[in-house]
Amino acid sequence: MRKIGTGIVAIAATTVLLAGCSGGSTPSESGNAAEGSGGSLVVWTDANRAPAIEAAAKAFEEETGTKIELVQKNFEDIRNDFINQVPTGEGPDITVGAHDFLGSFVSAGVVDTIDLGDKADQIEKVAVDAFTYDGQLYGFPYALETIALVQNTDLVGEEAPSSFDDMIARAQAAGAERPFVINTAGQKGDAYTMYGFQTSFGAPVFVQDASGSYTNEVGMGGAGGEAFATWLGAHGEAGSGEISTTIDYDTNNELFAAGTAAYTVQGPWAIETLTANGVNVKVNPIPSAGGETAAPFVGVQGFYISSESANKLLAQEFLTTYLATDDAQRALYEADPRLPAWKTLAAEVSSDPIVAGFLASAANGVPQPSIPEMGSVWDLWNAAQVQIIKGGDPVSTWNTMVTDVQAAIG
């Protein structure tokens, strides 16, 4: 998903080697960072976050004698390069990455577990859950991204609607030309954006176990899924019409920015566009349509440790002692402003009501599944929603999709 489109605050650069390719790690002689090992760590990062990591790296170098080499990568290349290079010994000790890299990293055997100790209590639970796979934590999460309800306060005020029906009623009472718009990616479908409404019917895409890890049990079937499908059809093109396959990402934003629509569901990356024409907005959690909490997908950014690192203890110490601090987390936020998963920083930046609204939505959310089976879901899921929105039989269309997903994942 996209990140917040706000200005980036420059962080003073420090003297850390920025190489164009990785060079592996040098084994520590003592394995004890506190004593200063003379070892080294290679860290992959993108250009945006490099200055913030440099600051923590400089302190780590000075206090432990461990050299940290930062390698700037295109973020889009990190997943495949990490999978390909770690087994050869040419990969980094640590890489930045998204939580949805996790399933492929675990399957390839290229990532190691991490023990956050008491630092785990400083991190939002949804972020820890996102980096948990089969009950094991595989990374240090630090930032969130999610979607929320954005409302035109000039039309409907700032008060959060109590439900989807309440939202529509408020917009109609205000005389809004369109009570609500939501991106369906046109004819492609956008189950990601619709997911908060789906979960409010108790129909998760996959079931989570007690540890927060996703299982491969499809959760969309049964009464909850059928109720969501029926609701989707009732508000689709053959029903009341609030949800339409004529609305793609740009159209959605244009209608809201023009003051035509009272409410939409969008991410922080769209706020600048939504307010470009002077519309005043309030961000609130997505209202329930089915009676349960609307839980949108949450994406999480963090840091992974290579399974082939010769200095895993040093890598863990750098993450949990030097990056897991208020100052380091603030530097990361200023360098690349994403919603903080670090609780004290989240409380600090919540003085901005836009940020506070998205954080409140994320607190209701669930991690987007990182399990490999998720790759078999999107096309079938999106297509079923489009068919229902366009007037297809909701229950039979939905149940066929669930059966096809189950078959696809084996």
Side-chain angles (χ1 to χ4, degrees):
M1 294 299 104
R2 310 181 195 191
K3 64 179 183 294
I4 301 174
T6 56
I8 295 175
V9 180
I11 305 296
T14 57
T15 55
V16 178
L17 175 63
L18 297 177
C21 60
S22 66
S25 58
T26 303
S28 162
E29 294 177 3
S30 68
N32 187 337
E35 295 176 1
S37 66
S40 68
L41 294 174
V42 175
V43 180
W44 282 1
T45 179
D46 57 3
N48 287 348
R49 285 171 274 202
I53 299 172
E54 286 171 6
K58 187 176 191 307
F60 189 70
E61 288 184 332
E62 290 175 349
E63 295 176 19
T64 70
T66 301
K67 178 68 177 176
I68 292 189
E69 176 186 343
L70 291 190
V71 178
Q72 288 190 17
K73 303 275 290 184
N74 291 324
F75 189 80
E76 294 76 13
D77 298 332
I78 285 177
R79 185 195 321 229
N80 287 339
D81 287 356
F82 193 77
I83 289 172
N84 291 332
Q85 293 187 31
V86 165
T88 71
E90 293 299 317
D93 299 278
I94 297 170
T95 186
V96 73
H99 90 271
D100 58 4
F101 295 2
L102 182 54
S104 56
F105 281 0
V106 173
S107 296
V110 296
V111 65
D112 200 28
T113 57
I114 186 170
D115 181 6
L116 296 179
D118 59 3
K119 296 298 177 70
D121 295 334
Q122 301 296 319
I123 302 170
E124 296 289 347
K125 182 178 183 299
V126 68
V128 176
D129 287 349
F131 274 80
T132 300
Y133 194 98
D134 285 341
Q136 298 291 317
L137 184 64
Y138 282 93
F140 169 51
Y142 86 93
L144 312 169
E145 49 198 7
T146 195
I147 55 179
L149 184 72
V150 183
Q151 57 196 69
N152 181 330
T153 60
D154 298 323
L155 290 174
V156 292
E158 296 190 357
E159 184 178 355
S162 61
S163 67
F164 182 88
D165 290 343
D166 180 48
M167 177 184 74
I168 299 301
R170 287 169 181 263
Q172 290 172 338
E177 183 178 334
R178 286 178 178 260
F180 172 71
V181 288
I182 188 169
N183 176 34
T184 66
Q187 302 290 321
K188 295 180 181 179
D190 186 2
Y192 172 88
T193 301
M194 205 70 66
Y195 193 61
F197 296 120
Q198 180 176 321
T199 53
S200 77
F201 287 89
V205 58
F206 287 109
V207 175
Q208 289 174 273
D209 64 22
S211 74
S213 302
Y214 279 99
T215 70
N216 64 0
E217 179 185 352
V218 178
M220 296 188 287
E226 291 179 358
F228 167 70
T230 300
W231 172 87
L232 186 61
H235 292 277
E237 294 167 10
S240 54
E242 295 94 358
I243 302 172
S244 171
T245 58
T246 65
I247 306 298
D248 60 15
Y249 181 85
D250 290 334
T251 303
N252 179 92
N253 295 348
E254 288 165 5
L255 287 169
F256 188 91
T260 302
Y263 298 92
T264 190
V265 172
Q266 260 296 7
W269 49 82
I271 290 296
E272 184 175 351
T273 300
L274 296 176
T275 59
N277 296 335
V279 170
N280 295 304
V281 301
K282 177 72 164 56
V283 177
N284 285 308
I286 296 170
S288 174
E292 299 185 24
T293 300
F297 280 137
V298 177
V300 183
Q301 296 275 319
F303 296 88
Y304 295 98
I305 296 176
S306 165
S307 60
E308 296 300 316
S309 171
N311 285 312
K312 292 177 184 176
L313 293 179
L314 284 171
Q316 176 156 305
E317 179 164 356
F318 175 64
L319 294 181
T320 61
T321 304
Y322 289 80
L323 280 185
T325 68
D326 288 349
D327 287 345
Q329 292 297 302
R330 188 176 298 106
L332 283 166
Y333 177 76
E334 291 174 342
D336 185 38
R338 301 170 190 258
L339 301 173
W342 191 253
K343 291 179 180 178
T344 53
L345 179 61
E348 179 182 319
V349 300
S350 288
S351 58
D352 181 332
I354 299 294
V355 173
F358 282 110
L359 284 168
S361 184
N364 288 344
V366 291
Q368 182 174 313
S370 61
I371 57 176
E373 289 86 350
M374 194 65 198
S376 300
V377 175
W378 287 111
D379 288 346
L380 294 167
W381 193 17
N382 286 333
Q385 291 196 7
V386 166
Q387 187 175 343
I388 292 168
I389 294 166
K390 291 177 70 66
D393 180 77
V395 172
S396 64
T397 300
W398 191 260
N399 286 336
T400 297
M401 178 272 293
V402 171
T403 299
D404 290 345
V405 167
Q406 290 170 330
I409 68 174

